Amino acid sequence: MVPVVAFLWEFVLRGRKRLGYRVQMDTTVTGEISAEHVGALELVHRETARSLVNPSFVLLRIENHGTATIKEADYRNPEAVAHGVQIRFPGRTVAGFVVTELSDSQLVNNFGEKSGLTRKAIDDARGTKVGVIELPKARLNRDDHYKVLAVLEPAPGNGPLTPEEMKPYLEGNALLGGRVVKTESGTGLSRRTLALLVFLVAIIIAQFGVYVFNDPSPLDCAKGNLTLTGSTAFAPVLEEATRQYRNSCGEANFTVAFHGSTEGLRTLNEAGRKAGSGPDMLSFTDGAKEDGYPQLLPRPVAFSLFTLVANKQTGIQDLRADQIRQLYDGRVGNWRELGGADLPVRLISRSPDSGTRRAFQTRILDGKREPGTNSDDCLKVGPGGQPGPVRCERPTTAELLNAVANTPGALGYAELGGITGRDDLVPVRIDGHPATLDGAVHAAYPFWETEYAYTYGEPKAGSLAASFLRYLTNQVGKDVIRSFGNRPCAELANPVLCHP
């Protein structure tokens, strides 16, 4: 940015039209060391044949030092004034001069008889005699230049002048919309260029130092250890989110221990009571907590969809809500009663601590609890078990899905993201509606729940728990939540659905 701004400032805003001049030689005849053959130089004289007294020679280079062409109309003097710019020699008069070394042969057209090319002498504000060479309103394309060689002698009647006061110069207001600048030779770097280079090198060194010594982690990263527990249905989302967080924040460590929503709440509550304050732990539940945990504070994280899943041999792809209730009441023993295959009904459920089970009981069974199990292998009623359809339980979502896939006639339920990519299961529609966000939001699909993150009291602002909760609601966390079939609460058209 620095070179770009410097270029625009120097060449566009300030320097499109610049008439530059450079004094390439300014010396007396004798010079600093008197040469043996200096006499030839002392023979110069005026038109009257009078020999010059202490003559000196000055060579100036006049150039277009800007980025735009300097035209006749760009000179400040009005049209009635022939010349465009003056070279002034304080304390000296001009005995003679020539224009030489034109960069382009076409420049000679600027120096005709009526071009204003002449010499004269004036008095400045201090009364000092000043020799003047008037130059024409020359058209100079970019990088055009010519040189003026002048022979001078001291002006009579002047007091002593310092070498600095006697330096030749061009009048500074010769251009309209431009300026006159004194340039330097192309050898070496100018002070301004050198300062810019030093500044840029300093920036590069500073950037390298920041890269090497600064913590590369994002501003919202936190260090420490954090345990995540609770819902097995939401576990895949959290495992991916912790992996992404570690990639961005290398000094964060996570321990995952998912054993069900109710067990997660119990674990968090006990850890908080032992610590006396908020432990480094978050518990995630499918739905809001039950009574009995007044110290646990909820934060809605996601809108989770659930689905019924059937073994592929059942021949079932759609069930009405009343048929589902009949199945779990034990009133249907064979799938052929509902138009399916001739297979016994086998119901595989989650354990009572499961938030997914609570969501199923609340949303599908109208709050009625599932009957107890009567089987361990999910294939037949065990000894002493209640007669009726086979009922068994599995502690995690993954185990339930595997059991349904491997058990003929099995029916179960799970978080929608858990069946993604599995072709050994059949997601069952409810009343003709698949598990979709639009269906749930518009009350057509009933099997959904809010996913909550619970803390024991308010987490400290700089803690890993607080940082990870914020992470789940920023863009990266939202992407992870969406990738598993859920939706961030903040993205719902009606965010109230994410609250109790």
Side-chain angles (χ1 to χ4, degrees):
M1 290 302 297
V2 170
V4 169
V5 173
F7 174 83
L8 294 176
W9 172 259
E10 186 70 11
F11 295 105
V12 177
L13 299 179
R14 297 179 68 243
R16 290 190 65 250
K17 295 180 180 179
R18 294 195 295 192
L19 184 64
Y21 72 96
R22 187 185 311 167
V23 180
Q24 297 186 312
M25 180 182 68
D26 185 359
T27 183
T28 61
V29 168
T30 57
E32 297 181 4
I33 300 176
S34 181
E36 179 182 355
H37 307 288
V38 72
L41 296 174
E42 292 177 336
L43 295 177
V44 293
H45 55 77
R46 288 185 175 271
E47 298 88 336
T48 59
R50 177 180 67 81
S51 296
L52 298 181
V53 178
N54 295 327
S56 57
F57 298 93
V58 175
L59 179 65
L60 292 99
R61 173 187 167 110
I62 312 299
E63 59 191 356
N64 182 345
H65 194 60
T67 58
T69 298
I70 297 176
K71 304 175 183 179
E72 293 84 345
D74 292 326
Y75 291 91
R76 188 176 299 276
N77 286 342
E79 186 176 354
V81 179
H83 73 274
V85 66
Q86 293 181 342
I87 307 174
R88 298 185 179 182
F89 305 92
R92 291 180 282 185
T93 59
V94 180
F97 70 94
V98 292
V99 177
T100 183
E101 292 192 30
L102 282 68
S103 62
D104 190 326
S105 60
Q106 298 298 320
L107 290 177
V108 73
N109 299 326
N110 293 300
F111 300 96
E113 292 184 3
K114 298 182 180 180
S115 65
L117 182 65
T118 186
R119 67 177 181 181
K120 66 180 182 180
I122 61 174
D123 292 334
D124 65 11
R126 299 174 300 174
T128 301
K129 295 290 184 182
V130 178
V132 176
I133 295 177
E134 295 181 337
L135 301 176
K137 300 174 182 177
R139 177 187 176 90
L140 298 175
N141 295 324
R142 184 178 177 183
D143 295 329
D144 278 353
H145 72 270
Y146 61 90
K147 295 184 180 181
V148 178
L149 176 63
V151 182
L152 313 170
E153 67 175 342
N158 284 334
L161 298 176
T162 65
E164 187 68 26
E165 292 174 328
M166 294 181 65
K167 284 185 177 181
Y169 64 93
L170 261 67
E171 59 180 323
N173 60 345
L175 294 182
L176 293 168
R179 58 197 181 106
V180 175
V181 295
K182 185 176 181 180
T183 63
E184 298 178 359
S185 65
T187 59
L189 297 175
S190 67
R191 291 183 178 179
R192 180 181 299 177
T193 303
L194 184 61
L196 180 59
L197 288 176
V198 170
F199 178 64
L200 292 176
V201 170
I203 289 178
I204 293 171
I205 294 174
Q207 288 177 327
F208 179 75
V210 169
Y211 174 78
V212 172
F213 299 108
N214 194 35
D215 185 357
S217 300
L219 290 178
D220 198 33
C221 281
K223 304 175 184 178
N225 301 291
L226 183 64
T227 298
L228 304 183
T229 186
S231 170
T232 61
F234 204 61
V237 178
L238 296 172
E239 288 169 350
E240 176 64 16
T242 56
R243 187 181 70 82
Q244 297 284 356
Y245 188 95
R246 278 194 299 265
N247 289 340
S248 300
C249 309
E251 298 187 53
N253 298 306
F254 295 90
T255 300
V256 293
F258 300 104
H259 301 292
S261 297
T262 301
E263 180 62 26
L265 292 173
R266 187 181 301 117
T267 301
L268 175 61
N269 192 60
E270 291 176 359
R273 289 182 179 278
K274 290 179 180 179
S277 60
D280 297 324
M281 181 181 293
L282 296 175
S283 180
F284 292 84
T285 67
D286 307 323
K289 66 179 179 179
E290 297 177 347
D291 294 336
Y293 301 107
Q295 295 293 331
L296 303 189
L297 302 181
R299 286 167 178 78
V301 174
F303 186 85
S304 293
L305 294 173
F306 298 87
T307 182
L308 289 170
V309 288
N311 181 271
K312 297 181 73 171
Q313 298 181 34
T314 61
I316 295 295
Q317 295 185 6
D318 183 272
L319 291 170
R320 299 193 310 270
D322 64 299
Q323 291 175 327
I324 298 171
R325 288 190 283 270
Q326 290 174 23
L327 284 164
Y328 281 85
D329 282 343
R331 288 179 281 167
V332 178
N334 192 294
W335 286 112
R336 66 185 174 186
E337 299 176 43
L338 300 179
D342 185 10
L343 284 172
V345 172
R346 295 181 171 99
L347 304 177
I348 304 178
S349 301
R350 290 292 309 281
S351 59
D353 284 346
S354 167
T356 305
R357 175 167 172 163
R358 289 207 312 273
F360 178 70
Q361 293 173 163
T362 301
R363 303 288 181 181
I364 305 301
L365 303 184
D366 292 335
K368 186 177 180 180
R369 291 180 61 87
E370 289 188 54
T373 64
N374 59 11
S375 173
D376 294 327
D377 60 7
C378 299
L379 290 173
K380 60 183 181 300
V381 176
Q386 292 292 328
V390 170
R391 303 175 188 271
C392 64
E393 295 174 355
R394 291 295 180 262
T396 67
T397 300
E399 292 178 88
L400 180 144
L401 294 176
N402 291 333
V404 172
N406 297 322
T407 306
L411 179 71
Y413 47 81
E415 193 261 340
L416 179 62
I419 68 168
T420 302
R422 297 194 62 154
D423 57 3
D424 56 348
L425 295 165
V426 177
V428 179
R429 294 176 176 234
I430 300 177
D431 291 326
H433 299 285
T436 64
L437 178 65
D438 287 341
V441 168
H442 293 94
Y445 184 79
F447 197 6
W448 60 269
E449 193 52 90
T450 301
E451 193 68 30
Y452 287 93
Y454 280 90
T455 60
Y456 191 91
E458 290 288 352
K460 295 180 180 178
S463 66
L464 180 55
S467 176
F468 187 69
L469 286 173
R470 289 191 295 270
Y471 181 81
L472 289 175
T473 59
N474 71 17
Q475 191 56 53
V476 179
K478 290 178 181 178
D479 291 342
V480 173
I481 290 173
R482 282 193 298 269
S483 69
F484 285 86
N486 306 299
R487 288 296 181 271
C489 287
E491 294 183 357
L492 295 180
N494 181 15
V496 174
L497 287 174
C498 262
H499 294 278

